[in-house]
Amino acid sequence: MSGTPEGPVHPEPPGIPPARPALTERELRDYRAAFRASRLAMALVDRDGLVVAANDSLGALLGTESAALREQAAADLVDLAADGRTWHAYREVLRGRRSRFRCTRRLKHPDGRRLWAEVTVAPVPDTGRVLLSVADITDRRELQARLRHLQMHDPVTRLPNRALFFERLSAALETAAAEGADPSGGAGGPLGPAAAPEPYRAHGPARPYPSRGQGGTGRIGLCYLDLDGFKAVNDTLGHRVGDRLLAAVAGRLTECADSAGYTRGGGHLVARLGGDEFAVLVEDSTGTEQLADLAGSVLRALERPFDLGGQRLSVSASIGVVERAAAGATATCLMQAADTTLYWAKADGKARWTLFDPERNAHRMTRQALSSTLRPAVERGEFALEYQPLVDLAGGAVRGVEALVRWNHPQFGTLPPNRFVGIAEEDGSIVELGRWVLRTACEQARRWQKDHPRERPLFVSVNVAVRQVWDSDLVADVAGILAETGLAPHLLQLELTESAVMGSAGRPLQALQALSDMGVRIAIDDFGTGYSNLAYLSRLPVSVLKLDGSFVRGFQDEEHANPADELIVEALVQLAHRLGLTVTAECVETAGQAARLRRIGCDTGQGWLYSRAVAPDRIAAMLEGTARPRV
């Protein structure tokens, strides 16, 4: 105020704050009248925390007469001593060490109603007292709760949505990590319970969070499920029927969780994460058996047909189950494990649940690591070739070699082809890798030829993936590499699997024909395991059949031989020879097998009887006569 009715206030010297003039009697009467008539509940409190005066609004809020509040402890009226932080802040204001503070309290009216109140405590200047004001914010809080419910729940199923699910999952992990600490943290400091989470709603009336922490198992479980073939329902019957089906599925999931009380205290969280994906969170789980029982009950519940307004539908689900200690786990890693396990359930045939397997996951992670480093590994020179001899069964001489690629991985050591070739075919890096293998093998074959001019030149056999034919110009690559290395075309043999060659048409068949016309030999690898379309065989530009090892394994000694295997192999060899093809037997491991194959006319053999895949210098030693394959 700049002055009073008694006259103006003379300005103080510079640097000295002006003195606050005393209130007139009229002003005091006006303030008292405003205090009593205010709709805001207020009380004047002395330095000891006792009510000096309270207005009628505060009496009405607390369900009593305002006069009855005199000399009562203000902190008891609005529950300011419920937690240490709030009590300390209140005492600091009373002592004049803090300007003000505000908190939110949940109060109980004498008629039994619960109400939310925003309590503000601030000093009254020049009086030594403080003003306590209490605003009823129940309507605002209920509106906030309704808005939060809409924000955090799925409108189709009325289940918690992804946002609330992750909030609860993170809170459950933090609670377990706190080792029994009260998750609410008391009243929550100066802001009180306003910062505490709202009650959640699963499918039906709202329920409070379950009691957790003390006596908890310290473990957490999750069932992550996806409906099998749900897209077909939307596509054929429309999204309205699809939404009704989702709502019905949500109801059965909630019944499954409710019926068994899958978390301590009866709490659970069934959520729709989006689309046709649902999750059931199990806090304080007791082990994998509990989660397995839950997953099994869900599958059985969904097996029953759904009657949607006369429309009967059947649906199944695939479920990924994860159960583990909560300590050290994060919401992200838990969901990654659940997502991976759900994928396994789908891949294993759907309509089933699958438990997370750390070893299987480690293999998957290794596969991902290999996939991400495969392309640059070619540039870094991490691959090498070993060669396995192809031996003439009649004379015992080495006629050729098969090039087998190895990956000298800096982390996983030396890896055989079956660990990474499939990955390379999937991501397309097989084209670059295959080109490197082809060039390296041809260079090596030409080097052997130059180093041993008096010996019969060895042919080199290189495996080719179908994707190399589709995604690159294999004919141009082969022609360029042969020209670059100087290797004669007839000293190169390209191996393709039976399933790839037998189904060849269009571009693949044209490429094979062009390579054959060039003089390159084409071999069918693992013959006898795929189509075995013998009529189609005569129309393909094939030079060699490589019999799958499963036939040769039946060729033991005379006593243990399988006559059927020998008849089949003999017929295949005779047919191949009539078609002008040569036959190589794979996986020859014993002298008895070699003898029987020789007797029925098989041309060459390959296997551990002669040699494992070896480095290039070992092949050179065989050519020089210092090392010979066993016969």
Side-chain angles (χ1 to χ4, degrees):
M1 296 174 63
S2 61
T4 65
E6 284 76 15
V9 176
H10 296 286
E12 299 287 347
I16 300 177
R20 184 182 298 275
L23 297 175
T24 66
E25 286 298 325
R26 180 178 177 181
E27 287 175 325
L28 289 173
R29 286 195 303 271
D30 291 343
Y31 278 119
R32 292 190 184 100
F35 177 80
R36 288 192 297 268
S38 175
R39 296 180 62 184
L40 179 63
M42 293 185 291
L44 199 62
V45 181
D46 64 19
R47 292 296 186 186
D48 295 325
L50 300 178
V51 175
V52 176
N55 65 2
D56 292 341
S57 296
L58 181 60
L61 184 70
L62 300 178
T64 186
E65 296 292 332
S66 59
L69 299 176
R70 286 177 59 86
E71 301 300 324
Q72 292 196 38
D76 294 341
L77 298 177
V78 289
D79 199 26
L80 295 182
D83 70 278
R85 291 180 59 189
T86 301
W87 174 248
H88 175 73
Y90 171 61
R91 298 294 297 174
E92 289 292 284
V93 176
L94 290 180
R95 294 167 182 165
R97 298 174 183 173
R98 179 170 177 165
S99 60
R100 65 168 55 220
F101 95 100
R102 178 183 293 117
C103 67
T104 305
R105 281 290 175 267
R106 191 81 186 272
L107 304 179
K108 184 177 182 181
H109 195 274
D111 64 7
R113 290 184 295 114
R114 287 281 184 179
L115 57 91
W116 285 101
E118 185 178 76
V119 180
T120 304
V121 182
V124 178
D126 302 326
T127 65
R129 295 170 178 174
V130 299
L131 182 67
L132 180 143
S133 59
V134 185
D136 184 351
I137 59 170
T138 303
D139 291 343
R140 187 173 75 190
R141 289 299 296 254
E142 289 180 351
L143 176 60
Q144 290 174 344
R146 287 195 294 271
L147 292 176
R148 173 177 166 81
H149 184 273
L150 292 174
Q151 180 186 11
M152 305 297 278
H153 287 75
D154 170 49
V156 174
T157 62
R158 299 187 180 182
L159 291 178
N161 60 15
R162 178 180 290 269
L164 181 54
F165 172 79
F166 275 96
E167 180 181 294
R168 276 291 305 279
L169 176 57
S170 299
L173 291 170
E174 291 174 4
T175 298
E179 297 181 346
D182 180 6
S184 68
L191 292 180
E198 295 288 342
Y200 72 92
R201 185 182 302 273
H203 188 64
R207 347 180 152 175
Y209 279 91
S211 173
R212 300 186 303 254
Q214 298 178 353
T217 64
R219 303 187 67 81
I220 194 164
L222 178 64
C223 288
Y224 182 32
L225 64 138
D226 176 278
L227 301 183
D228 301 323
F230 177 74
K231 185 177 183 298
V233 175
N234 274 342
D235 291 345
T236 57
L237 301 177
H239 287 273
R240 178 175 295 183
V241 174
D243 287 350
R244 295 175 66 183
L245 177 59
L246 290 174
V249 168
R252 292 193 186 178
L253 292 179
T254 305
E255 290 173 4
C256 288
D258 283 344
S259 63
Y262 278 102
T263 54
R264 199 170 54 82
H268 65 276
L269 185 69
V270 180
R272 181 190 177 197
L273 303 187
D276 59 338
E277 297 177 358
F278 296 84
V280 183
L281 176 64
V282 179
E283 301 175 47
D284 289 332
S285 61
T286 59
T288 56
E289 183 177 352
Q290 180 190 23
L291 270 295
D293 289 343
L294 173 58
S297 68
V298 167
L299 290 178
R300 290 189 295 272
L302 297 182
E303 284 176 355
R304 304 193 309 270
F306 291 87
D307 189 351
L308 306 177
Q311 183 88 43
R312 285 179 66 83
L313 293 176
S314 295
V315 68
S316 63
S318 301
I319 307 176
V321 177
V322 180
E323 199 281 337
R324 62 178 56 173
T330 65
T332 300
C333 73
L334 197 66
M335 286 307 298
Q336 285 176 341
D339 186 65
T340 297
T341 313
L342 173 60
Y343 171 80
W344 294 342
K346 290 277 190 184
D348 291 344
K350 303 181 180 181
R352 68 192 63 217
W353 63 267
T354 301
L355 183 66
F356 181 76
D357 181 355
E359 292 186 6
R360 186 174 180 180
N361 186 60
H363 178 74
R364 180 186 69 90
M365 297 299 290
T366 301
R367 182 180 176 87
Q368 289 179 345
L370 295 179
S371 178
S372 63
T373 58
L374 207 157
R375 288 181 183 273
V378 179
E379 301 175 0
R380 290 194 298 262
E382 295 178 2
F383 291 95
L385 293 185
E386 293 183 345
Y387 301 88
Q388 187 172 32
L390 298 168
V391 178
D392 178 21
L393 285 172
V398 178
R399 295 304 183 197
V401 293
E402 180 180 354
L404 299 171
V405 64
R406 303 286 188 262
W407 186 356
N408 297 318
H409 197 281
Q411 179 181 356
F412 303 114
T414 301
L415 303 177
N418 61 356
R419 291 289 302 276
F420 58 86
V421 167
I423 301 173
E425 291 179 356
E426 290 176 6
D427 66 13
S429 59
I430 190 65
V431 173
E432 183 179 2
L433 177 60
R435 192 179 289 121
W436 177 88
V437 170
L438 182 63
R439 176 177 288 103
T440 304
C442 289
E443 288 175 348
Q444 183 61 62
R446 181 60 174 152
R447 189 175 302 116
W448 285 324
Q449 186 179 7
K450 290 180 178 179
D451 292 344
H452 305 87
R454 296 183 180 180
E455 301 294 333
R456 179 177 176 176
L458 298 180
F459 71 86
V460 62
S461 189
V462 177
N463 290 278
V464 176
V466 176
R467 188 158 184 177
Q468 289 178 254
V469 182
W470 282 107
D471 292 1
S472 68
D473 192 341
L474 182 62
V475 178
D477 288 344
V478 170
I481 289 173
L482 290 176
E484 177 185 333
T485 59
L487 187 69
H490 72 278
L491 295 179
L492 175 62
Q493 176 174 291
L494 299 180
E495 296 186 20
L496 290 90
T497 61
E498 178 184 350
S499 58
V501 176
M502 287 301 185
S504 294
R507 181 176 177 180
L509 182 57
Q510 294 171 5
L512 295 180
Q513 187 62 59
L515 290 167
S516 179
D517 294 342
M518 192 187 302
V520 175
R521 299 199 293 182
I522 307 298
I524 300 180
D525 195 15
D526 301 328
F527 187 79
T529 61
Y531 296 106
S532 298
N533 189 335
L534 301 180
Y536 192 57
L537 185 62
S538 63
R539 298 194 292 271
L540 292 172
V542 175
S543 305
V544 182
L545 297 184
K546 296 190 71 175
L547 295 181
D548 184 69
S550 59
F551 291 108
V552 179
R553 291 189 188 97
F555 280 44
Q556 302 299 325
D557 51 46
E558 295 288 345
E559 181 180 355
H560 300 93
N562 185 339
D565 284 340
E566 184 169 347
L567 287 174
I568 293 173
V569 173
E570 185 175 5
L572 289 175
V573 170
Q574 291 178 359
L575 175 63
H577 286 169
R578 290 191 178 186
L579 293 174
L581 310 179
T582 60
V583 180
T584 298
E586 298 180 301
C587 300
V588 181
E589 298 180 354
T590 68
Q593 291 172 334
R596 295 170 71 83
L597 289 167
R598 188 184 307 116
R599 187 171 65 244
I600 63 177
C602 194
D603 300 289
T604 56
Q606 176 182 0
W608 289 0
L609 172 65
Y610 309 110
S611 174
R612 296 174 182 264
V614 294
D617 59 341
R618 294 288 303 277
I619 301 297
M622 293 179 188
L623 291 173
E624 293 167 358
T626 57
R628 290 289 180 184
R630 293 176 294 171
V631 179

